Amino acid sequence: MKTLVLGENEIDKAAEIIKNGGLVAMPTETVYGLAANALDGKAVAKIFKAKGRPMDNPLIVHISDISQIYMLVREFPEKAKILAEKFWAGPLTIILPKSDIIPDEVSAGLDTVAVRFPSNKIAQALISKSMPLAAPSANLSGSPSPTNARHVLDDMKGRINAVIDGGECEVGVESTVITLATDIPRLLRPGGITVEQLREAIGEVVIDDAVLNPLKSGQKAASPGMKYKHYAPKAHIILLEGSDDSFIEYVNSRKANGIAALCYDEDIDRLEVPCIPIGHADDYEMQSHKLFSSLRNADEQGFLTVYAHCPKTDGMGLAVYNRIIRAAGFEVIEI
Ligand code: AMP
Ligand code: MG
């Protein structure tokens, strides 16, 4: 299959591909999404095939107006309304009991559906001109999510009908996922909307165990995606937990060919190995913006082992931590 690269002024062409049951990668403010008509099970099944995504990992449905949620869900409770009013359009996904219109392919057989209203204008235009769009990240399953059109092509060229090139994604990590289909709202994935912001808006929100910890054997994942290996480049990533000084000492003592550091800008001058800096220690926005392209960059440079400086977990730091610890396959060394 030839993969077209479309410009921002070719949304009509992209919408036509969607209407004909095809796949289009689109920019969003979080990462690039691989979109199909969410109401067409056959089209949605192609997403799983193109990505190599396990069929039991459900997809997020993207809308371009809050009112479109009513056809997708059975209930739209007060807390969901508050979150939608406050954080949409934006990087927040809300899980609610699904309506019958949602094909099984989208919900992976669950009784719920994940819904998001992205703020990216290209995504909004494409949704408005076609349908609600089911769209996971537009990478091969397991690899780092794409934050520009080149990343999408690196993974998906020949596997999808088109990509719309909308430049770099602002946020850089996937949306925050919260379920309101449980008694107490539960954070399933941290992202651009922080748990602190969610609690300020609706009160109690519990953080699901799987956000910070690997699933224990036999434990059921609240969000099926959490049980799979994620965001992993080819390089071996190891997370180092300890003081800033011990990070520098530990990495420098392992200086060798193929060793690199995923680090803060402040670390560069002190490190004696190649550095992949992701921003200042307290600039979580920059860190999430740069994280996935940095992981891809580590592979492009052929590094074998990358030691990562452990992020803090307040605010958006939690989203960065959650991605790095998965990229590291939960391999953490306390130093
Ligand atoms: P991605 O589309 O690659 O950003 O991944 C979407 C994430 O949302 C995955 O971790 C899914 O498991 C999760 N997800 C989507 N729909 C649901 C749902 N109905 N219930 C729980 N988790 C969901
Ligand atoms: Mg993904």
Side-chain angles (χ1 to χ4, degrees), residues 31 51 53 56-60 62 93 95-96 106-107 110-114 135-137 139 145 174-175 177 179 188-189 222-226 230-231:
V31 302
K51 279 181 59 87
R53 183 177 175 104
D56 69 350
N57 192 4
L59 305 182
I60 296 169
H62 294 68
T93 295
I95 294 176
L96 290 167
V106 170
S107 56
L110 298 176
D111 191 34
T112 51
V113 63
S137 50
N139 52 286
S145 298
E174 304 83 349
S175 58
V177 178
T179 179
L188 300 183
R189 178 173 74 184
S223 180
M226 292 203 206
H230 250 104
Y231 317 125

Side-chain angles (χ1 to χ4, degrees), residues 29-59:
E29 70 277 21
T30 58
V31 302
Y32 273 68
L34 181 55
N37 175 1
L39 307 182
D40 176 351
K42 270 198 192 138
V44 171
K46 293 181 193 167
I47 294 179
F48 288 87
K49 193 153 178 253
K51 279 181 59 87
R53 183 177 175 104
M55 290 297 288
D56 69 350
N57 192 4
L59 305 182

Side-chain angles (χ1 to χ4, degrees), residues 117-154:
F117 174 1
S119 64
N120 181 286
K121 297 293 171 217
I122 297 173
Q124 288 182 358
L126 182 61
I127 300 163
S128 304
K129 285 178 192 237
S130 41
M131 316 280 169
L133 297 177
S137 50
N139 52 286
L140 286 174
S141 206
S143 72
S145 298
T147 56
N148 60 38
R150 184 177 64 80
H151 296 160
V152 174
L153 290 169
D154 284 347

Side-chain angles (χ1 to χ4, degrees), residues 12-24:
D12 285 338
K13 213 183 244 178
E16 208 45 45
I17 294 171
I18 297 279
K19 281 182 199 152
N20 290 327
L23 303 184
V24 176

